Amino acid sequence: MTQSLIAVLDDDDHVRAATASLLRSVGYRTLLYASVEEFFAGAPREVDCILSDYRMPGRSGLELLEELRGRACDVPFILMTAFLSDPLRSRALSDGALAVLDKPVDEERLLGLLESALEH
């Protein structure tokens, strides 16, 4: 059985590494990116889910979501932010995000969302 591959985008090295460590500890494989530009430049393989920070240098996680949906890419997408607001949550969900998580992210909630997203 192939382990699911999760792309993690966050400009904070520590958050990116901690998130990847958590995901690997429960059996997921990870690809790590510090920006949307790095994600696209890395010619990412097919991923099973994207976990992205909202605020990053260059394009935001929300802009990544919009671009992917514009390309008819329906990979499950979870947005994380330390700047959560109702308008941001509403926009992300209407653009197709599975969830918008407030930082610091509740690990159990994140893992539950991933499990649910990857079952479908």
Side-chain angles (χ1 to χ4, degrees), residues 41-109:
R45 299 176 288 171
E46 188 72 26
V47 296
D48 297 301
C49 188
I50 297 172
L51 178 59
S52 178
D53 187 21
Y54 169 62
R55 282 194 181 173
M56 295 181 283
R59 291 187 277 179
S60 71
L62 188 57
E63 290 171 309
L64 170 61
L65 173 61
E66 291 168 349
E67 184 165 341
L68 291 171
R69 296 307 186 245
R71 295 179 180 191
C73 176
D74 63 351
V75 65
F77 192 102
I78 299 171
L79 190 68
M80 308 176 296
T81 183
F83 306 96
L84 188 59
S85 67
D86 287 336
L88 172 59
R89 181 187 305 277
S90 294
R91 183 170 170 200
L93 294 175
S94 70
D95 285 348
L98 175 66
V100 181
L101 301 178
D102 200 12
K103 285 183 170 182
V105 172
D106 178 289
E107 293 177 355
E108 292 301 317
R109 181 158 186 237

